[in-house]
Amino acid sequence: MSEPTTEQELGITKSKEHETGEWYAEVVRKAKLASYGPEGMSGFIITRPRGYALWEAIRDDLDEQFKSTGVRNAYFPVFIPESYLQREKDIIEGFDPEVAWVTHGGHDELEERLAVRPTSESIITPYMSQWIRSHRDLPLRVNQWCGVVRWEATETKPFFRTKEFLWQEGHTAHRSREDALEETFRRLDQYESTYEDLLAMPVLKGEKPEHDKFPGAHTTTTIEALMPDGKSVQGSTSHYLGTSFAEAFDITYADEDEEQNLAHTTSWGISWRAIGALIMTHSDDQGLVLPPTVAPEQVVVVPIWQSDTKDEVLEYAEELTAELEEDGVRVKLDDREGRNPGFKFNEWELKGVPLRIEIGPNEVDDDELTLVHRPDGESTVEDRENADETVQDHLDEVYAKLYATAEEILEDGVREADTRDEILGTIGQHGGYVKAPWCGEEACETEVKDQIAAEIVMVPFEEEDDLADGDHDETCAVCDDDAERTAYFAKSY
Amino acid sequence: MSEPTTEQELGITKSKEHETGEWYAEVVRKAKLASYGPEGMSGFIITRPRGYALWEAIRDDLDEQFKSTGVRNAYFPVFIPESYLQREKDIIEGFDPEVAWVTHGGHDELEERLAVRPTSESIITPYMSQWIRSHRDLPLRVNQWCGVVRWEATETKPFFRTKEFLWQEGHTAHRSREDALEETFRRLDQYESTYEDLLAMPVLKGEKPEHDKFPGAHTTTTIEALMPDGKSVQGSTSHYLGTSFAEAFDITYADEDEEQNLAHTTSWGISWRAIGALIMTHSDDQGLVLPPTVAPEQVVVVPIWQSDTKDEVLEYAEELTAELEEDGVRVKLDDREGRNPGFKFNEWELKGVPLRIEIGPNEVDDDELTLVHRPDGESTVEDRENADETVQDHLDEVYAKLYATAEEILEDGVREADTRDEILGTIGQHGGYVKAPWCGEEACETEVKDQIAAEIVMVPFEEEDDLADGDHDETCAVCDDDAERTAYFAKSY
């Protein structure tokens, strides 16, 4: 990759707090995570190796969770015939305006247009129908890691808003509503675990309001993550589809008494938007910040020498690097000539390496290491002995710090309101989530949306929602009718 | 998955030797590797979990080899603007008749048509051009695992001939011809290793004749595998592209003296055709045969009981299964009720499980195991103690047997010819490869092709080709002009 040659090219010039959008774009570009697509293809991005490595980390983590709980991967075609897309009416209504259409193969016009998949229910479900005969074939679970295309004409924001994005889509069929709901929640919990244990991001779980569900879904559950700029990101969704797809595509099974029943299906997905949320959550005005769990390089060793100390410093640094590498640490020795240590510090900070180890003549003489944490710059001197354990401890500390900071933002970011004006005022002033009693009508969300572009991003699950039992006298914060649920209003990505 | 309910549904009815094409299709379907695409999408397949698991095994093996030799994964858009495709003239000539075109996004017609990628040089190379400034940026290596579409109107053959296929495409840039050629051969060697050490398939390496190179390539190297029906499969290719793409897309770098030079590029790929070759090579009239390295289940334990021995047999089988599982063996216990052992044997043979362990009352009494190899049915009784080592030894034996059989077919399958009639006669009678001196002209290949649809699939590398030094008096087997190289003629997939 082309090396930046001046401090200016290397450094981030925008402020995360004051110019969030420009700052984000600059971090993505200068940390070499992604490039914008070519002319004529606005909305598409090139995911560069440093960006793709983050996707691989997320994929590997989830793939293992899925496989250990009965999911197997498969691959369905990139195209879906228009007539298939039309078979589930909510799907075609929901996605038709966003479909990229293939009309020609080679020099011939096709008899039927083919949609580049915007999501694959319409082609996966008919095959499930073929594969399922009896209750012994259930549950049936398939997943695919692939790209999908949705032709939205909005401004491009790498990983957050792109016309093509990478994701995984899981599709399952079950005997009963209970089994399918259990599946829906199991996958949501697995996404939560990836956010919390891999990406150092605490999240909220809940369901989408009726009017914002996935097309055709009975229930859409969601992971919501609060960004430092006060906006919510929908981090992944898991849908209980009821029997609507089973009806449209005829998925029936014979039970023990040879009676035919409709299967209950689910689908669930996470996209590379998780990378966007990761960048946005932890990074700062020096550049990218990554938890050690996903960082391509967890540790950079920077030797600091004068001409008379060069040999001993380099030898010490090389031995340390080799030892850490052998212990499975992803470590990089930056022994480039012609770059001063300050330049190297800045470059690796920009690229999000969680731990820097500085080795100078003092460290060599005292048989020590100087360890510096990203992002807070905390510096510690430790014994050279047992470097592998020391490094692991510090990587864990960095993870804990990132998580704690994000947790504080989330905890401080949930406020309450009882009136429309309070909702508007609180979000306007602080951002974040505002919890308010809600009647359940879309109109009341629309009223808020029209004023400040905030919407209901989440409703807590019934068992966690005091208002859901109906046994109370609260009224909707917007319209004053009886409140049925608690709504989390927020601006969102 | 729906269970077959009769022996007839379970068994393979076609003969590999006499009805190879139908037999192949039947194995793919009944072993649940793939299904055919929906109406209106002939040429597309659904890769079912048992098929996709094979792709995952191939991918994981190569991905590790690539990453340990400096390759990093990336992801480029699924679409390529028509004008980009046109910038390298050989690419557009080579692929234009096979491109699927996106003409509409949502309800709007696009200003410029977008090709669904048939291969990605045309979009990857311009970005390489942006990323490369100086010799310090070289070598640059990126790879992507993705699907590509080529609209060929031929009969569908799962994994061999499909309009969409999964593959990996690696793209690299280097300072010199030497570096780029070294890269080209390194990747070819890695493909060879995957065929030989993962898929139990010995292969030949060589280069394609001038007229059959990848569009725009200087040299196309190839892995060729001989199928038992006497046809050759192009198993993967690795191209030295010279400077033609660097010229078309302006990849230049400054060397130490700040002089601008064109980079030398390569590309290399393997597709899921490797799965087709794997199935074709090892499988038989009982169904799928898989080497233990890639088999989703390496071992199936089948308990054989009468009502009075059921408890002890099952307990013994369960303990064995748990022990093997703990040792990392992919093992399945088939304790289904209502299926007799013969039915189970057939089913797991069909699905390609390399090793069956039968546990009956005798095995329990004598503290033994009966192990049966797929495909030759060789049965051995071994001590129960150290089952993990015993099983590993038998899995290794199965691998060795598969490899030896394939090796024999390859060794017997290379014959020589000195005249056109000998070429035609030998291929007509035996299939396989026929080595013949060749002048280098396409016309001489065409003469053979027109007669028996055999072509030159491979030319040995110069250093292995006695004819390549020019110091000989052999003449082309077809036209009698001076022979320049040795050609391997064969029918091919």
Side-chain angles (χ1 to χ4, degrees), chain A residues 190-202:
Chain A
Q190 293 181 332
Y191 293 131
E192 178 184 42
S193 145
T194 294
Y195 276 103
E196 303 211 329
D197 305 330
L198 184 79
L199 304 180
M201 292 172 59

Side-chain angles (χ1 to χ4, degrees), chain A residues 57 139 141 150 160 183 196 199 234 298 366 457:
Chain A
R141 302 183 178 101
R150 297 179 188 175
F160 278 117
E183 177 81 13
E196 303 211 329
L199 304 180
Q234 178 183 301
Q298 297 173 306
D366 302 341
V457 295

Side-chain angles (χ1 to χ4, degrees), chain A residues 91-362:
Chain A
I91 281 280
I92 189 73
E93 277 174 25
F95 288 104
D96 186 53
E98 303 179 356
V99 167
W101 293 105
V102 173
T103 57
H104 290 73
H107 299 137
D108 300 324
E109 188 166 354
L110 304 182
E111 278 180 33
E112 179 179 3
R113 299 197 300 178
L114 301 176
V116 182
R117 63 178 161 232
T119 180
S120 301
E121 280 79 3
S122 302
I123 191 155
I124 292 182
T125 325
Y127 283 89
M128 287 190 155
S129 156
Q130 288 180 30
W131 298 334
I132 294 170
R133 292 286 139 77
S134 111
H135 63 92
R136 282 184 301 270
D137 301 323
L138 297 174
L140 174 63
R141 302 183 178 101
V142 292
N143 176 62
Q144 66 180 1
W145 294 91
C146 64
V148 292
V149 172
R150 297 179 188 175
W151 208 269
E152 294 173 282
T154 48
E155 205 194 334
T156 310
K157 193 174 183 114
F159 305 119
F160 278 117
R161 276 195 308 273
T162 50
K163 287 202 179 86
E164 179 187 17
F165 55 86
L166 296 184
W167 78 347
Q168 102 358 263
E169 47 178 325
H171 300 267
T172 70
H174 306 265
R175 296 188 66 161
S176 65
R177 174 189 156 87
E178 291 66 37
D179 288 359
L181 277 169
E182 192 187 325
E183 177 81 13
T184 306
F185 289 113
R186 177 183 300 119
R187 301 309 160 199
L188 197 72
D189 288 346
Q190 293 181 332
Y191 293 131
E192 178 184 42
S193 145
T194 294
Y195 276 103
E196 303 211 329
D197 305 330
L198 184 79
L199 304 180
M201 292 172 59
V203 292
L204 297 178
K205 292 188 294 186
E207 55 192 289
K208 289 288 174 189
E210 191 65 22
H211 57 268
D212 196 25
K213 292 182 316 187
F214 178 79
H218 182 277
T219 307
T220 286
T221 67
T222 181
I223 295 277
E224 297 287 326
L226 184 60
M227 298 295 102
D229 65 354
K231 289 187 192 168
S232 184
V233 169
Q234 178 183 301
S236 47
T237 50
S238 181
H239 315 289
Y240 166 53
L241 302 173
T243 55
S244 61
F245 283 84
E247 275 168 51
F249 294 99
D250 193 27
I251 310 187
T252 58
Y253 67 92
D255 65 18
E256 285 86 346
D257 308 324
E258 294 300 321
E259 223 169 287
Q260 291 293 318
N261 298 279
L262 281 171
H264 293 250
T265 66
T266 81
S267 67
W268 27 275
I270 190 170
S271 79
W272 69 18
R273 169 176 283 214
I275 300 174
L278 173 74
I279 300 166
M280 191 66 88
T281 297
H282 302 301
S283 302
D284 61 22
D285 289 355
Q286 275 64 57
L288 189 65
V289 175
L290 293 174
T293 38
V294 301
E297 300 93 357
Q298 297 173 306
V299 175
V300 61
V301 177
V302 180
I304 305 169
W305 67 71
Q306 306 291 337
S307 57
D308 58 332
T309 54
K310 182 173 171 185
D311 288 352
E312 55 174 20
V313 164
L314 260 186
E315 190 189 335
Y316 189 94
E318 281 164 4
E319 275 177 22
L320 173 70
T321 304
E323 185 181 320
L324 292 176
E325 205 159 38
E326 198 162 307
D327 289 319
V329 178
R330 297 192 292 275
V331 57
K332 165 109 188 154
L333 171 66
D334 186 354
D335 57 359
R336 283 177 294 173
E337 309 271 349
R339 298 272 188 241
N340 63 48
F343 181 93
K344 294 180 181 179
F345 295 174
N346 287 342
E347 179 171 342
W348 295 110
E349 280 177 8
L350 170 68
K351 287 183 174 166
V353 178
L355 191 63
R356 177 172 80 232
I357 303 182
E358 302 175 4
I359 304 294
N362 291 342

Side-chain angles (χ1 to χ4, degrees), chain A residues 1-3 5 35-41 44-50 52-53 56 59 63 67 72-81 83-84 96-107 110 112-114 116-117 123 127 130-134 136-142 145 147 149 151 164 166 272 297 339, chain B residues 1-3 5 35-41 44-50 52-53 56 59 63 67 72-81 83-84 96-107 110 112-114 116-117 123 127 130-134 136-142 145 147 149 151 164 166 272 297 339:
Chain A
M1 306 287 146
S2 181
E3 306 267 337
T5 47
S35 300
Y36 290 91
E39 216 182 311
M41 279 184 60
F44 290 81
I45 61 168
I46 281 68
T47 309
R48 300 181 67 175
R50 291 188 162 273
Y52 197 78
E56 289 181 311
R59 183 195 65 190
D63 205 59
K67 282 182 177 154
R72 296 191 300 169
N73 288 332
Y75 186 73
F76 288 76
V78 63
F79 302 142
I80 303 176
S83 56
Y84 274 63
D96 186 53
E98 303 179 356
V99 167
W101 293 105
V102 173
T103 57
H104 290 73
H107 299 137
L110 304 182
E112 179 179 3
R113 299 197 300 178
L114 301 176
V116 182
R117 63 178 161 232
I123 191 155
Y127 283 89
Q130 288 180 30
W131 298 334
I132 294 170
R133 292 286 139 77
S134 111
R136 282 184 301 270
D137 301 323
L138 297 174
L140 174 63
R141 302 183 178 101
V142 292
W145 294 91
V149 172
W151 208 269
E164 179 187 17
L166 296 184
W272 69 18
E297 300 93 357
R339 298 272 188 241
Chain B
M1 305 288 145
S2 181
E3 305 268 338
T5 47
S35 300
Y36 290 90
E39 215 181 312
M41 279 184 59
F44 290 82
I45 61 168
I46 281 69
T47 309
R48 300 181 67 176
R50 291 188 162 274
Y52 197 79
E56 288 181 312
R59 184 195 66 190
D63 205 59
K67 282 182 176 153
R72 295 191 300 169
N73 287 333
Y75 186 74
F76 288 77
V78 63
F79 301 142
I80 304 176
S83 56
Y84 274 62
D96 187 53
E98 302 179 357
V99 167
W101 293 105
V102 173
T103 57
H104 290 72
H107 299 138
L110 304 182
E112 179 180 2
R113 299 198 300 178
L114 301 177
V116 181
R117 63 177 162 232
I123 192 157
Y127 283 89
Q130 288 181 28
W131 299 334
I132 294 169
R133 293 287 139 76
S134 113
R136 282 185 299 271
D137 302 323
L138 298 174
L140 174 63
R141 301 183 178 101
V142 292
W145 293 92
V149 172
W151 209 268
E164 179 188 18
L166 297 184
W272 69 17
E297 300 94 357
R339 297 274 188 242

Side-chain angles (χ1 to χ4, degrees), chain B residues 3 50 296-305 310-325 329-337 339 344-345 347-348 351 353 355-360 364 369 384:
Chain B
E3 305 268 338
R50 291 188 162 274
E297 300 94 357
Q298 297 172 307
V299 176
V300 60
V301 176
V302 180
I304 305 169
W305 67 71
K310 182 173 173 185
D311 288 351
E312 55 173 21
V313 164
L314 261 185
E315 190 188 333
Y316 189 93
E318 281 164 4
E319 275 177 21
L320 173 70
T321 305
E323 185 181 320
L324 292 176
E325 206 159 37
V329 178
R330 297 191 292 274
V331 56
K332 165 108 188 154
L333 171 67
D334 186 354
D335 56 359
R336 283 177 295 173
E337 309 271 348
R339 297 274 188 242
K344 294 179 181 178
F345 295 174
E347 180 172 342
W348 295 110
K351 288 182 173 166
V353 178
L355 191 62
R356 177 172 79 231
I357 303 182
E358 302 174 4
I359 304 293
V364 176
L369 317 168
R384 167 70 176 81

